[in-house]
Amino acid sequence: MTKQHRYCVIMCGGVGSRFWPYSRANKPKQFIDFFGTGTSLLQMSYDRVLPVVPKENIIVVTSHMYAEHVKEQLPDITPEQILLEPARRNTAPCIAWAAYHIYSRDPLASIIVASSDHLITRDSLFVESIENGFNFVETHDALLTLGIKPTRPETGYGYIQIGKAEGTANGILPVKTFTEKPDKDLAKVFLESGEFYWNSGIFLWSAKSIINAFHTHMPDISALFETLPLSEYSNPDKENAFINSNFASCPSISIDYAVMEQASNVYVECVKFGWSDLGTWTSLYDNSQKNPDGNVTRNGRVIAYNATGNIFAINPEKLVVATGLNDYVIADSDDVLLICPRSEEQQIRHYVNDVKMAYGEKYI
């Protein structure tokens, strides 16, 4: 199939609360230049797919409150390429809307769905993998996810168990089971078995296949989106009015729970490019350059004594002097300073909730 029928959906609605306070509600992590390259995670996600998807076929799904950030950071896309969610409803409704939106314009469309906040290295291998994935879903009624070979017993990722090859090729295998975020012991078993891959959250399918999957496994969602005639998805005013009136009534559910864990035509492409979802401070630490003491500095200046394994994310004009800290997150942003052991970073969302309860939205 020609490249003109290939589309990309970039999901860009997350609030990035696990990177609070560096990531704030008014400018979450996907809009931040984490690595000092002058390019945000969203911009990296966009640039990454340009070799395989025409820029006019790239759709960004985000919140109304981030529309201006998207327009500013991706000046080459048109307003019609930005779908604005009126409410946060997880990934399944987001993907369903994008699928109907694209299908109304191109019934032959195939789609890659990616998050705006992933870090991927070895871009040439990424492009090869996506080309291979597109070729597969364009010739099979299949829902394809990209699997990453695990390097550690990570408890923050979902896992995919691979099945036996059934006439597939090029590293594409049927999926046997999905497991969401196992505990440490089970993650060790998965790692040692060699049968499990991390679920990257990057998907490929034809528009027709994913719409059929919603029909079968989440009919409430498909029924809602089909109350708007397909022809009217091509009218921005009618589409937006419909979405603003109806989107919030969708169930809040991930695509994994809604479709991928239930469907029988799910496959995994075992890929070899470097990947991280940059979901935690430790993942950012692991993917950043360290100084000789094993510390990472994002902006600002740091003088540290008897300190190792720390990540400092601070305002560019600020100096931090620290002593005796080991394996800590020190994150400073405007009116908030967070000092937290990296081992307790999963509690940051709870800290954010506590701050919200105590002081409202001011510091969120």
Side-chain angles (χ1 to χ4, degrees), residues 192-326:
E192 293 165 1
S193 75
E195 294 183 9
F196 289 81
Y197 283 70
W198 286 335
N199 183 0
S200 69
I202 302 171
F203 307 102
L204 292 103
W205 38 55
S206 68
K208 182 178 179 181
S209 290
I210 190 60
I211 287 173
N212 286 342
F214 277 109
H215 271 288
T216 302
H217 304 292
M218 285 298 293
D220 289 353
I221 289 180
S222 61
L224 183 144
F225 284 102
E226 288 178 7
T227 58
L228 181 70
L230 269 180
S231 60
E232 296 190 5
Y233 279 93
S234 298
N235 183 318
D237 291 338
K238 290 183 177 180
E239 181 183 33
N240 290 330
F242 168 78
I243 290 297
N244 289 335
S245 297
N246 293 280
F247 191 83
S249 63
C250 284
S252 181
I253 185 170
S254 73
I255 192 66
D256 297 285
Y257 284 127
V259 173
M260 302 300 283
E261 294 184 12
Q262 302 184 65
S264 59
N265 59 333
V266 179
Y267 292 82
V268 59
E269 181 180 359
C270 305
V271 298
K272 296 181 179 178
F273 53 78
W275 171 88
S276 170
D277 76 345
L278 281 190
T280 63
W281 284 108
T282 291
S283 65
L284 179 60
Y285 176 87
D286 290 341
N287 286 283
S288 299
Q289 184 174 354
K290 287 92 176 161
N291 73 3
D293 293 324
N295 294 317
V296 169
T297 300
R298 301 255 62 86
N299 297 322
R301 295 174 174 84
V302 174
I303 298 176
Y305 305 93
N306 189 28
T308 62
N310 302 296
I311 181 165
F312 297 87
I314 53 182
N315 286 332
E317 68 279 4
K318 185 160 288 188
L319 167 67
V320 172
V321 180
T323 183
L325 287 180
N326 296 296

Side-chain angles (χ1 to χ4, degrees), residues 64-112:
H64 278 273
M65 65 189 297
Y66 304 142
E68 293 307 312
H69 286 312
V70 174
K71 292 174 185 176
E72 178 185 347
Q73 295 199 355
L74 302 180
D76 286 347
I77 69 173
T78 66
E80 289 73 29
Q81 291 171 258
I82 305 172
L83 303 186
L84 299 177
E85 296 176 316
R88 297 184 67 217
R89 284 298 179 267
N90 214 314
T91 54
C94 160
I95 288 169
W97 178 19
Y100 280 94
H101 176 88
I102 292 169
Y103 186 79
S104 72
R105 290 158 171 75
D106 185 357
L108 298 179
S110 54
I111 304 168
I112 174 176

Side-chain angles (χ1 to χ4, degrees), residues 19-73:
F19 276 104
W20 180 85
Y22 204 60
S23 169
R24 304 289 282 268
N26 62 348
K27 191 175 183 181
K29 64 176 180 176
Q30 59 266 32
F31 302 110
I32 295 174
D33 172 15
F34 271 104
F35 297 98
T37 61
T39 306
S40 71
L41 295 176
L42 170 62
Q43 291 168 319
M44 292 168 68
S45 300
Y46 175 83
D47 292 343
R48 192 179 297 128
V49 298
L50 284 176
V52 285
V53 174
K55 67 179 181 181
E56 62 269 18
N57 289 359
I58 298 175
I59 305 295
V60 179
V61 187
T62 191
S63 163
H64 278 273
M65 65 189 297
Y66 304 142
E68 293 307 312
H69 286 312
V70 174
K71 292 174 185 176
E72 178 185 347
Q73 295 199 355

